[in-house]
Amino acid sequence: MPLDVSKVRYISLIRMEGGESVLNIPYAELTVDPDLIAGFVTAVIIFAKTPIRTIRKAAYDILIQVGRSVLVLLVVDPVPDEAPYREKLQRILDEVESLHGEKLRHFEGDVRRFREFALTVIKEFPFQSADLNMVPVMSKNGVRIPFRVGNVDHELEQLESFINGKRTVAEIMDLMSLADEEVLALLSILSRYQWIEFKHRLTDKDILIPGECPSIILDKHRAQYGKALDELLDKFDGKSSIREILDVLPYDRDALWFLINKLVEVGCLKAVH
């Protein structure tokens, strides 16, 4: 059974010796403080006489993978098959032990050095599944990404340079030198923290309606396109496809396509879903 990332609520890496949480990644709202969950799990693991791999609560399950220096904790909605989740948890555990095991065993209290490892976790458990045909668009409403440091910051900057509001996810993946799963993880980070939105690439089968846009934008385009702009906008009635509208207007199709995309970009036209 495939893994459903929408069921993931929270992932934490906890140092075995002292019980400190060195990395926390929230995916969804929890009714319980995640720190309390981490403390509870650590206590259970330390004092249990037999290995515990799953703790079942009323609203969620806690899956646990234990290593030499660290345990990986996953809070997830109840799932019928834990296997695909555990495979990913084990890969995360192997990687953190390989990269940071020595530092975790000689811990000095500074968890900042582990923030970059968030990308490794998110490659296994992206914040959302990606539609490769969607077009990411940069947003100005983003909030701080708590683990945007070092190499994560560098790779996010790389990705942002390829996002132009026209390329699809698949096209961006083809252009970048990073592995596909890394690009998808980075996109999910930008989406989770509201730095991008996704839109459909327009096709001639799409149906559009006028949106709300400032008159200054319309005046700017009217000065360039004249009456063609008003004739075009009048045709978008929420019933006719772009193809049908282009067929009846006596203007260059490529120029009209360019104008339609511009009007959608600034919100003067919007798709009917």
Side-chain angles (χ1 to χ4, degrees):
M1 184 172 291
L3 180 146
D4 183 355
V5 294
S6 70
K7 291 185 175 293
V8 176
R9 296 195 186 189
Y10 180 77
I11 297 175
S12 182
L13 273 60
I14 301 170
R15 199 171 76 91
M16 287 294 294
E17 187 174 326
E20 304 93 344
S21 181
V22 297
L23 180 65
N24 302 303
I25 305 177
Y27 283 69
E29 291 293 327
L30 285 171
T31 55
V32 181
D33 186 338
D35 289 337
L36 293 178
I37 294 176
F40 166 69
V41 169
T42 306
V44 169
I45 294 296
I46 290 172
F47 294 108
K49 294 181 180 179
T50 57
I52 294 176
R53 288 165 51 85
T54 304
I55 298 173
R56 303 197 189 282
K57 308 296 283 185
Y60 55 85
D61 292 343
I62 304 171
L63 309 188
I64 305 156
Q65 291 292 110
V66 179
R68 179 185 173 192
S69 309
V70 66
L71 69 83
V72 185
L73 174 157
L74 168 67
V75 180
V76 63
D77 290 340
V79 294
D81 182 10
E82 295 180 2
Y85 298 85
R86 288 204 176 277
E87 288 174 13
K88 290 178 174 290
L89 288 177
Q90 188 61 49
R91 285 200 290 268
I92 292 169
L93 182 61
D94 292 342
E95 188 75 6
V96 72
E97 289 281 9
S98 172
L99 292 175
H100 299 297
E102 192 65 25
K103 292 191 283 286
L104 287 162
R105 287 188 289 275
H106 300 89
F107 189 59
E108 297 177 352
D110 186 1
V111 299
R112 290 176 297 178
R113 65 176 66 184
F114 303 107
R115 283 187 292 178
E116 278 187 70
F117 192 76
L119 182 56
T120 300
V121 175
I122 297 166
K123 279 194 291 186
E124 298 292 346
F125 294 100
F127 288 112
Q128 64 186 55
S129 298
D131 183 336
L132 302 188
N133 296 314
M134 295 292 279
V135 176
V137 181
M138 295 302 298
S139 167
K140 296 179 180 179
N141 301 319
V143 297
R144 188 181 74 87
I145 300 172
F147 43 83
R148 185 165 184 160
V149 295
N151 191 55
V152 178
D153 180 51
H154 174 68
E155 291 190 2
L156 284 172
E157 284 186 349
Q158 275 187 276
L159 173 60
E160 288 164 343
S161 71
F162 284 95
I163 297 174
N164 63 359
K166 298 179 177 65
R167 297 186 180 110
T168 64
V169 171
E171 289 167 342
I172 291 171
M173 289 165 62
D174 287 341
L175 289 169
M176 294 191 70
S177 59
L178 299 173
D180 288 351
E181 64 269 19
E182 195 130 348
V183 177
L184 294 174
L186 293 165
L187 282 167
S188 83
I189 291 170
L190 291 179
S191 178
R192 171 71 173 79
Y193 290 93
Q194 301 169 36
W195 287 103
I196 58 171
E197 300 171 345
F198 290 96
K199 68 176 185 180
H200 288 280
R201 173 175 279 173
L202 286 181
T203 71
D204 61 5
K205 296 179 182 178
D206 284 319
I207 296 174
L208 306 178
I209 57 174
E212 296 180 6
C213 63
S215 58
I216 189 171
I217 293 178
L218 284 176
D219 290 341
K220 176 183 175 182
H221 285 91
R222 192 173 284 116
Q224 185 175 358
Y225 291 94
K227 67 175 185 177
L229 173 67
D230 294 311
E231 290 180 36
L232 179 66
L233 289 173
D234 287 343
K235 294 292 183 183
F236 286 109
D237 55 4
K239 299 176 182 177
S240 303
S241 68
I242 294 175
R243 178 192 298 171
E244 291 168 333
I245 291 170
L246 293 180
D247 285 343
V248 299
L249 287 174
Y251 303 107
D252 180 79
R253 292 178 78 91
D254 290 339
L256 287 177
W257 254 117
F258 180 80
L259 177 56
I260 289 168
N261 275 288
K262 279 288 185 185
L263 292 172
V264 170
E265 207 172 289
V266 297
C268 295
L269 287 173
K270 59 183 181 180
V272 175
H273 298 295

